[in-house]
Amino acid sequence: MMQRRAFLQTALKGALLCGSGGAFLAAMLKAKHSKDSYALRPPGAEDEERFLSLCIRCGLCVKDCPYNTLKLATLLDHAKVGTPFFEARKVPCYLCPDIPCIKACPTSALDKKHLEKNQGVGSLKMGVAVVDPISCVAFWGIRCDVCYRVCPLIDRAIKLENKHNERTGKHAYMLPMVQNDVCVGCGLCERACITKEPAIRVLPVAFVSGKVGNHYVKGWDAKDQERVKDAKPNTLNPKTDNPLDYLNKGL
Amino acid sequence: MRYLVLRRLMQCGILALFAANTWILKGNLSASRLFNTIPLSDPFAALQVFLASLHVEITALLGALLVLCVYGLFLGRAFCAWVCPVNMIVDFAAWVRRKLQFRGVHLGLPKNLRYILLALSLILSFALATPAFESVSFIGVVQRGIILGTASWLIVALLLFCVDAFLGDKIICSKLCPLGAFYALTSRYALLKIKHDAMRCTKCELCWEICPERQVLWMVGLKSVSVNSGECTRCGRCIEVCEDDALGFSILDLKGSFKKKDLG
Ligand code: SF4
Ligand code: SF4
Ligand code: SF4
Ligand code: SF4
Ligand code: SF4
């Protein structure tokens, strides 16, 4: 009798511990490999480091968003567990003029500077929209300007570029061109895009923007040209430099 | 039973209020807004945020001070027994452990582990510039999961249950949880106390059996002093099991706070 009981106990313990441990592991792995392994943060959280040091994970921003845009990350989401993020294709940020999410944040993880007068939503930078020219039908020559028209910064964040369509000989392409410095990353375009998977997507700024090294000088800009004066020659050191990479050495 | 029922009502009621998301209570246990105006925040979480960001936001600070005052001055470590949802999980685990008589493994964890983890959380928050315990907090996962109505927190709940049921007695709350440690440290001089009357005590040790922090009951049967350790969660379990009326809640037992553990 006692033996069977002990056996059952051990079996139960083992099964439950393995089960919960396994489920935990599976959840973590799923999160790691989730398809959208990036997170768009709420308005005012442009500096991810600053944001992560301040967010107390209270969800007040989530609760005060009238469009239910924001979500707190669970174990299965890629964003750091408990922090707010949004998925533009599901619900974009509608850029409320009074930005209630920022108002709600008790720790200023969402930067209060955007609430100041004459700041406006134009100062936000949740991400940058990127067009995939392969699946955007405008690049096929089909007329679609949905993203252009839905953009709250119409004709500023996306401009339409006209180009002759060689294929038909008599039509024009009207190509959506995102102005990276103007786009605020609200995701309205991603939400509205007519293709099965959006041909225009918002990515966090860090995923999109590059950075020019100091040794490129705008020769046509008199002030920038000044910098050439105290420039040092940039020569290869055959011992330490890989000649295959010499064009961007020392960056 | 009285306090047990009250505690469950309180725990579930607070979570339900958060889940209902009305003007009464918004947010979650990390930080919230009461009646749409009064800020409340978890003082330990706020402390980590301050250390991580070196920035003090007035709303979070007020909220933290308010909560800290309520517990530090009046209710003691009542958060753990009356608010924290993990309490329901570990209580269930303890119940299963008792019923099925698991003696099982005893992890030889150091007695002061939770205080070490508390210090570690604060140091790491500063070093990593991110609220360290909040990033991995099982309390956070559980409470947010319940309030937001998601499911993945159940994994963590099961893990917590298994640890406390099979790996040893009361590991989560009295060995691992830095938030409990934080409240224990700040609750030393809170007014609400458990009063012990040694004259009535028959040394049945029932209170000892049931108490989640039994070291605080060192005076039982020996001395008529109040439970003066901040580690007492003011759960009232000891009061309920004591059949000799030797224990009860008391306030304004100021002397009790300062009594030393000298039994000589
Ligand atoms: S700006 Fe408005 S729509 Fe966008 S996340 Fe904040 S509250 Fe929601
Ligand atoms: S309101 Fe602020 S602190 Fe709370 S979850 Fe949102 S960003 Fe984080
Ligand atoms: S994300 Fe799209 S809709 Fe929003 S500003 Fe940028 S281009 Fe316009
Ligand atoms: S010790 Fe920690 S987990 Fe346990 S009840 Fe207190 S806060 Fe919750
Ligand atoms: S002494 Fe009593 S009230 Fe305090 S933790 Fe133990 S059982 Fe609960």
Side-chain angles (χ1 to χ4, degrees):
Chain A
M1 184 60 205
M2 226 24 235
Q3 246 172 351
R4 191 170 61 187
R5 179 166 187 168
F7 170 76
L8 282 176
Q9 277 184 4
T10 324
L12 178 71
K13 285 183 210 175
L16 274 172
L17 274 173
C18 289
S20 57
F24 188 69
L25 211 69
M28 293 312 254
L29 284 177
K30 175 142 188 271
K32 268 247 169 65
H33 297 293
S34 72
K35 192 156 134 257
D36 313 283
S37 55
Y38 64 86
L40 293 177
R41 297 303 189 178
E46 7 287 324
D47 181 346
E48 177 89 359
E49 238 172 75
R50 176 187 178 281
F51 167 71
L52 283 180
S53 73
L54 278 163
C55 177
I56 201 167
R57 302 161 199 238
C58 63
L60 280 167
C61 52
V62 176
K63 303 263 167 106
D64 275 3
C65 173
Y67 298 100
N68 289 324
T69 299
L70 304 175
K71 215 173 112 183
L72 282 192
T74 66
L75 284 177
L76 300 180
D77 295 311
H78 186 81
K80 287 243 161 54
V81 67
T83 56
F85 72 105
F86 71 100
E87 291 165 297
R89 183 66 162 176
K90 290 189 183 145
V91 196
C93 166
Y94 287 92
L95 298 177
C96 323
D98 54 341
I99 329 188
C101 48
I102 299 189
K103 270 196 195 144
C105 181
T107 63
S108 81
L110 308 182
D111 203 333
K112 296 260 188 293
K113 77 172 183 224
H114 297 292
L115 295 176
E116 278 159 28
K117 281 223 171 59
N118 58 49
Q119 274 290 341
V121 293
S123 69
L124 301 173
K125 196 83 194 168
M126 291 169 274
V128 179
V130 177
V131 180
D132 168 22
I134 308 284
S135 49
C136 170
V137 296
F139 283 78
W140 297 7
I142 296 174
R143 169 107 192 238
C144 169
D145 54 4
V146 166
C147 57
Y148 168 79
R149 277 184 287 115
V150 83
C151 177
L153 302 166
I154 183 165
D155 211 37
R156 284 190 285 148
I158 303 184
K159 290 194 164 66
L160 292 182
E161 190 180 293
N162 292 324
K163 216 178 96 187
H164 180 57
N165 185 341
E166 305 279 351
R167 180 172 56 80
T168 66
K170 55 185 170 189
H171 297 101
Y173 292 108
M174 290 170 76
L175 307 174
M177 291 293 156
V178 178
Q179 311 299 304
N180 286 13
D181 50 341
V182 183
C183 169
V184 296
C186 64
L188 275 155
C189 52
E190 177 174 334
R191 167 74 199 171
C193 181
I194 53 120
T195 52
K196 187 165 170 230
E197 296 286 335
I200 185 166
R201 273 177 208 265
V202 179
L203 298 179
V205 180
F207 283 55
V208 179
S209 34
K211 192 169 190 295
V212 189
N214 271 335
H215 51 281
Y216 285 93
V217 175
K218 290 175 185 154
W220 58 92
D221 179 339
K223 196 156 157 272
D224 207 29
Q225 181 68 17
E226 293 273 290
R227 293 198 289 134
V228 177
K229 278 188 193 146
D230 29 48
K232 290 192 190 69
N234 185 15
T235 44
L236 276 188
N237 179 344
K239 281 204 187 110
T240 55
D241 293 332
N242 179 353
L244 295 177
D245 278 340
Y246 75 95
L247 279 179
N248 54 13
K249 105 178 225 294
L251 294 179
Chain B
M1 275 315 266
R2 202 160 30 122
Y3 295 127
L4 184 67
V5 174
L6 268 180
R7 280 198 300 125
R8 294 294 176 254
L9 279 177
M10 181 94 172
Q11 279 159 338
C12 298
I14 288 176
L15 291 175
L17 267 180
F18 275 128
N21 189 29
T22 55
W23 59 277
I24 303 175
L25 200 54
K26 255 197 184 139
N28 61 33
L29 291 177
S30 304
S32 54
R33 234 175 21 236
L34 185 64
F35 305 129
N36 241 337
T37 41
I38 307 169
L40 298 172
S41 28
D42 172 348
F44 178 50
L47 184 59
Q48 291 171 67
V49 166
F50 296 154
L51 284 174
S53 60
L54 301 178
H55 171 94
V56 180
E57 184 71 20
I58 195 77
T59 321
L61 181 67
L62 279 179
L65 286 179
L66 209 62
V67 174
L68 195 62
C69 285
V70 169
Y71 289 123
L73 296 178
F74 305 106
L75 301 178
R77 199 187 150 197
F79 173 85
C80 294
W82 295 79
V83 180
C84 182
V86 172
N87 176 264
M88 293 189 256
I89 301 168
V90 298
D91 275 2
F92 181 52
W95 180 82
V96 169
R97 200 177 163 85
R98 248 197 331 271
K99 280 278 163 256
L100 301 183
Q101 296 169 17
F102 289 158
R103 273 166 297 271
V105 237
H106 280 290
L107 292 184
L109 296 173
K111 205 170 90 218
N112 287 329
L113 185 56
R114 60 178 153 185
Y115 297 105
I116 299 169
L117 291 176
L118 170 66
L120 204 65
S121 311
L122 295 178
I123 295 168
L124 281 181
S125 296
F126 179 73
L128 303 178
T130 186
F133 178 63
E134 296 316 299
S135 314
V136 296
S137 166
F138 50 89
I139 312 166
V141 170
V142 171
Q143 56 117 341
R144 279 191 300 267
I146 299 175
I147 291 167
L148 298 172
T150 53
S152 57
W153 66 276
L154 288 165
I155 300 168
V156 173
L158 185 62
L159 209 63
L160 294 176
F161 170 83
C162 290
V163 167
D164 256 25
F166 309 136
L167 290 188
D169 213 16
K170 300 166 208 143
I171 289 189
I172 307 287
C173 287
S174 51
K175 292 278 167 58
L176 294 181
C177 179
L179 180 56
F182 177 84
Y183 278 126
L185 287 182
T186 55
S187 294
R188 180 81 162 91
Y189 301 111
L191 288 182
L192 181 70
K193 292 249 152 56
I194 304 290
K195 190 178 62 208
H196 171 62
D197 185 349
M199 300 306 283
R200 287 166 176 254
C201 175
T202 53
K203 304 192 185 176
C204 65
E205 297 199 338
L206 282 176
C207 58
W208 234 69
E209 206 99 297
I210 196 87
C211 177
E213 301 276 352
R214 61 179 57 147
Q215 71 282 0
V216 309
L217 289 175
W218 57 269
M219 75 291 292
V220 161
L222 299 172
K223 230 178 173 183
S224 291
V225 291
S226 290
V227 174
N228 51 18
S229 165
E231 287 169 0
C232 165
T233 67
R234 277 71 165 176
C235 61
R237 271 176 269 220
C238 51
I239 304 176
E240 286 173 337
V241 295
C242 181
E243 284 159 5
D244 306 300
D245 248 352
L247 293 157
F249 275 122
S250 89
I251 48 169
L252 291 175
D253 184 28
L254 290 172
K255 279 179 295 169
S257 308
F258 303 98
K259 286 261 163 59
K260 284 265 157 50
K261 193 173 175 172
D262 76 85
L263 301 169

